[in-house]
Short mmCIF file of all heavy atoms in Angstrom, two decimals:
data_model
loop_
_atom_site.label_atom_id
_atom_site.label_comp_id
_atom_site.label_asym_id
_atom_site.label_seq_id
_atom_site.Cartn_x
_atom_site.Cartn_y
_atom_site.Cartn_z
N PRO C 235 -140.84 -147.37 -114.81
CA PRO C 235 -141.96 -147.59 -115.86
C PRO C 235 -141.37 -147.68 -117.33
O PRO C 235 -140.55 -146.90 -117.61
CB PRO C 235 -142.79 -146.32 -115.65
CG PRO C 235 -141.97 -145.33 -114.91
CD PRO C 235 -141.02 -146.09 -114.11
N ASN C 236 -142.11 -148.56 -118.01
CA ASN C 236 -141.90 -148.89 -119.39
C ASN C 236 -140.52 -149.57 -119.78
O ASN C 236 -140.34 -149.84 -120.85
CB ASN C 236 -142.02 -147.41 -120.25
CG ASN C 236 -143.29 -146.70 -120.06
OD1 ASN C 236 -144.24 -147.36 -120.31
ND2 ASN C 236 -143.29 -145.60 -119.64
N LEU C 237 -139.75 -149.80 -118.86
CA LEU C 237 -138.47 -150.50 -119.07
C LEU C 237 -138.71 -151.80 -119.33
O LEU C 237 -137.94 -152.65 -119.81
CB LEU C 237 -137.48 -150.23 -118.05
CG LEU C 237 -136.96 -148.76 -117.83
CD1 LEU C 237 -136.19 -148.54 -116.60
CD2 LEU C 237 -136.13 -148.35 -119.14
N ARG C 243 -139.10 -150.88 -127.46
CA ARG C 243 -139.43 -149.60 -127.01
C ARG C 243 -138.41 -148.65 -127.75
O ARG C 243 -137.28 -148.73 -127.34
CB ARG C 243 -139.50 -149.45 -125.65
CG ARG C 243 -139.82 -148.07 -125.24
CD ARG C 243 -139.41 -147.74 -123.73
NE ARG C 243 -139.69 -146.49 -123.41
CZ ARG C 243 -139.29 -145.88 -122.23
NH1 ARG C 243 -138.46 -146.51 -121.29
NH2 ARG C 243 -139.57 -144.62 -122.01
N THR C 247 -133.47 -144.96 -129.38
CA THR C 247 -133.14 -144.25 -128.19
C THR C 247 -132.54 -145.21 -127.10
O THR C 247 -131.57 -145.06 -126.47
CB THR C 247 -134.35 -143.51 -127.57
OG1 THR C 247 -134.69 -142.71 -128.60
CG2 THR C 247 -133.91 -142.72 -126.34
N TYR C 248 -133.21 -146.48 -127.04
CA TYR C 248 -132.96 -147.28 -125.93
C TYR C 248 -132.25 -148.58 -126.24
O TYR C 248 -131.86 -149.49 -125.42
CB TYR C 248 -134.14 -147.62 -125.22
CG TYR C 248 -134.93 -146.43 -124.50
CD1 TYR C 248 -136.15 -145.94 -124.96
CD2 TYR C 248 -134.09 -145.59 -123.64
CE1 TYR C 248 -136.75 -144.78 -124.51
CE2 TYR C 248 -134.66 -144.45 -123.13
CZ TYR C 248 -136.05 -144.10 -123.43
OH TYR C 248 -136.54 -142.85 -122.90
N ASN C 299 -132.71 -147.44 -112.20
CA ASN C 299 -133.09 -146.56 -113.42
C ASN C 299 -134.56 -146.21 -113.07
O ASN C 299 -135.42 -147.00 -113.39
CB ASN C 299 -132.99 -147.32 -114.69
CG ASN C 299 -133.39 -146.49 -115.97
OD1 ASN C 299 -133.93 -145.39 -115.70
ND2 ASN C 299 -133.06 -146.89 -117.12
N PRO C 300 -134.73 -144.93 -112.55
CA PRO C 300 -136.23 -144.58 -112.29
C PRO C 300 -137.04 -144.39 -113.41
O PRO C 300 -138.25 -143.91 -113.19
CB PRO C 300 -135.90 -143.38 -111.35
CG PRO C 300 -134.45 -143.22 -111.16
CD PRO C 300 -133.81 -143.97 -112.20
N ALA C 301 -136.42 -144.33 -114.61
CA ALA C 301 -137.16 -143.99 -115.91
C ALA C 301 -137.76 -142.62 -115.73
O ALA C 301 -137.33 -141.69 -115.27
CB ALA C 301 -138.00 -145.12 -116.27
N ALA C 302 -139.04 -142.56 -116.21
CA ALA C 302 -139.78 -141.21 -116.23
C ALA C 302 -139.99 -140.59 -114.73
O ALA C 302 -140.07 -139.47 -114.57
CB ALA C 302 -141.14 -141.27 -116.80
N TYR C 303 -139.93 -141.53 -113.63
CA TYR C 303 -140.05 -141.09 -112.30
C TYR C 303 -138.88 -140.36 -111.90
O TYR C 303 -138.92 -139.50 -110.81
CB TYR C 303 -140.43 -142.15 -111.45
CG TYR C 303 -141.80 -142.75 -111.46
CD1 TYR C 303 -141.99 -144.17 -111.53
CD2 TYR C 303 -142.81 -141.95 -111.75
CE1 TYR C 303 -143.22 -144.71 -111.61
CE2 TYR C 303 -144.15 -142.40 -111.88
CZ TYR C 303 -144.32 -143.95 -111.87
OH TYR C 303 -145.56 -144.42 -112.04
N THR C 304 -137.80 -140.48 -112.63
CA THR C 304 -136.58 -139.62 -112.29
C THR C 304 -136.87 -138.15 -112.27
O THR C 304 -136.46 -137.45 -111.40
CB THR C 304 -135.66 -139.69 -113.52
OG1 THR C 304 -135.30 -141.19 -113.86
CG2 THR C 304 -134.30 -138.92 -113.26
N HIS C 305 -137.78 -137.70 -113.14
CA HIS C 305 -138.03 -136.41 -113.36
C HIS C 305 -139.20 -135.88 -112.68
O HIS C 305 -139.55 -134.61 -112.65
CB HIS C 305 -138.31 -135.98 -114.92
CG HIS C 305 -137.29 -136.93 -115.73
ND1 HIS C 305 -136.02 -136.66 -115.70
CD2 HIS C 305 -137.44 -137.87 -116.62
CE1 HIS C 305 -135.48 -137.57 -116.48
NE2 HIS C 305 -136.31 -138.29 -117.20
N VAL C 324 -128.98 -144.78 -112.96
CA VAL C 324 -128.49 -145.17 -114.31
C VAL C 324 -129.58 -144.82 -115.29
O VAL C 324 -130.78 -144.90 -114.95
CB VAL C 324 -127.98 -146.58 -114.61
CG1 VAL C 324 -126.91 -146.87 -113.59
CG2 VAL C 324 -129.05 -147.51 -114.40
N HIS C 325 -129.25 -144.42 -116.49
CA HIS C 325 -130.11 -144.20 -117.72
C HIS C 325 -129.36 -144.73 -118.87
O HIS C 325 -128.12 -144.47 -119.12
CB HIS C 325 -130.37 -142.73 -117.90
CG HIS C 325 -131.07 -142.21 -116.65
ND1 HIS C 325 -132.36 -142.30 -116.36
CD2 HIS C 325 -130.54 -141.42 -115.60
CE1 HIS C 325 -132.62 -141.76 -115.34
NE2 HIS C 325 -131.61 -141.11 -114.76
N LEU C 326 -130.26 -145.36 -119.79
CA LEU C 326 -129.61 -145.82 -121.07
C LEU C 326 -129.39 -144.62 -121.91
O LEU C 326 -128.20 -144.67 -122.56
CB LEU C 326 -130.70 -146.73 -121.68
CG LEU C 326 -131.20 -147.91 -120.97
CD1 LEU C 326 -132.60 -148.16 -121.03
CD2 LEU C 326 -130.36 -149.16 -121.54
N SER C 327 -130.20 -143.65 -122.17
CA SER C 327 -130.03 -142.58 -122.86
C SER C 327 -129.36 -141.50 -122.14
O SER C 327 -129.16 -141.46 -120.80
CB SER C 327 -131.36 -142.06 -123.44
OG SER C 327 -132.15 -141.62 -122.36
N ASN C 328 -128.66 -140.52 -122.73
CA ASN C 328 -128.14 -139.40 -122.06
C ASN C 328 -129.19 -138.28 -121.72
O ASN C 328 -129.66 -137.54 -122.67
CB ASN C 328 -127.00 -138.74 -122.69
CG ASN C 328 -126.34 -137.63 -122.06
OD1 ASN C 328 -126.83 -137.20 -121.08
ND2 ASN C 328 -125.13 -137.25 -122.54
N ILE C 329 -129.78 -138.37 -120.49
CA ILE C 329 -130.86 -137.35 -120.24
C ILE C 329 -130.51 -136.07 -120.38
O ILE C 329 -131.46 -135.19 -120.61
CB ILE C 329 -131.46 -137.69 -118.79
CG1 ILE C 329 -130.58 -137.54 -117.70
CG2 ILE C 329 -132.01 -139.08 -118.72
CD1 ILE C 329 -131.03 -137.53 -116.33
N ARG C 332 -131.24 -134.63 -124.05
CA ARG C 332 -132.60 -134.91 -124.55
C ARG C 332 -133.48 -133.60 -124.19
O ARG C 332 -133.01 -132.47 -123.87
CB ARG C 332 -133.16 -136.12 -124.01
CG ARG C 332 -132.27 -137.35 -124.46
CD ARG C 332 -132.90 -138.64 -124.04
NE ARG C 332 -134.23 -138.84 -124.54
CZ ARG C 332 -135.11 -139.79 -124.12
NH1 ARG C 332 -134.69 -140.62 -123.32
NH2 ARG C 332 -136.21 -139.92 -124.91
N PHE C 335 -137.13 -131.26 -120.07
CA PHE C 335 -137.80 -131.90 -118.86
C PHE C 335 -137.18 -133.11 -118.31
O PHE C 335 -137.33 -133.58 -117.26
CB PHE C 335 -139.29 -132.21 -119.17
CG PHE C 335 -139.59 -133.27 -120.19
CD1 PHE C 335 -139.55 -134.51 -119.71
CD2 PHE C 335 -139.78 -132.88 -121.41
CE1 PHE C 335 -139.90 -135.52 -120.64
CE2 PHE C 335 -140.07 -133.88 -122.40
CZ PHE C 335 -140.14 -135.21 -121.97
N ARG C 336 -136.21 -133.62 -119.21
CA ARG C 336 -135.43 -134.79 -118.66
C ARG C 336 -134.13 -134.44 -118.01
O ARG C 336 -133.44 -135.27 -117.46
CB ARG C 336 -135.18 -135.69 -119.84
CG ARG C 336 -136.32 -136.31 -120.38
CD ARG C 336 -136.09 -137.42 -121.57
NE ARG C 336 -137.12 -137.57 -122.49
CZ ARG C 336 -138.12 -138.47 -122.16
NH1 ARG C 336 -138.09 -139.23 -121.09
NH2 ARG C 336 -139.13 -138.61 -123.11
N THR C 350 -125.19 -142.03 -117.33
CA THR C 350 -126.26 -141.74 -118.34
C THR C 350 -125.70 -141.67 -119.66
O THR C 350 -124.68 -141.14 -119.97
CB THR C 350 -127.07 -140.41 -117.80
OG1 THR C 350 -128.12 -140.23 -118.81
CG2 THR C 350 -126.11 -139.26 -117.89
N TYR C 357 -125.83 -149.83 -117.15
CA TYR C 357 -126.16 -150.59 -115.98
C TYR C 357 -124.81 -151.26 -115.60
O TYR C 357 -124.60 -151.34 -114.33
CB TYR C 357 -127.22 -151.65 -116.46
CG TYR C 357 -128.67 -151.24 -116.47
CD1 TYR C 357 -129.25 -150.89 -117.58
CD2 TYR C 357 -129.37 -151.14 -115.26
CE1 TYR C 357 -130.48 -150.54 -117.63
CE2 TYR C 357 -130.61 -150.87 -115.34
CZ TYR C 357 -131.29 -150.41 -116.51
OH TYR C 357 -132.55 -150.10 -116.56
C1 LIG F 13 -134.52 -143.38 -119.10
C2 LIG F 13 -134.69 -141.78 -119.48
C3 LIG F 13 -135.93 -141.24 -118.93
O1 LIG F 13 -136.07 -139.86 -119.24
C4 LIG F 13 -137.13 -141.98 -119.60
O2 LIG F 13 -138.45 -141.44 -119.10
C5 LIG F 13 -137.11 -143.41 -119.48
C6 LIG F 13 -135.72 -144.09 -119.70
C7 LIG F 13 -133.30 -143.91 -119.70
O3 LIG F 13 -132.93 -145.01 -119.30
O4 LIG F 13 -132.58 -143.46 -120.61
O5 LIG F 13 -137.98 -144.11 -119.40
O6 LIG F 13 -134.44 -143.46 -117.75
#
Side-chain angles (χ1 to χ4, degrees):
N236 299 305
L237 294 172
R243 174 193 183 200
T247 303
Y248 298 118
N299 182 348
Y303 292 138
T304 307
H305 321 297
V324 300
H325 300 281
L326 297 136
S327 62
N328 183 346
I329 59 172
R332 299 183 63 192
F335 67 83
R336 295 186 201 274
T350 185
Y357 282 98

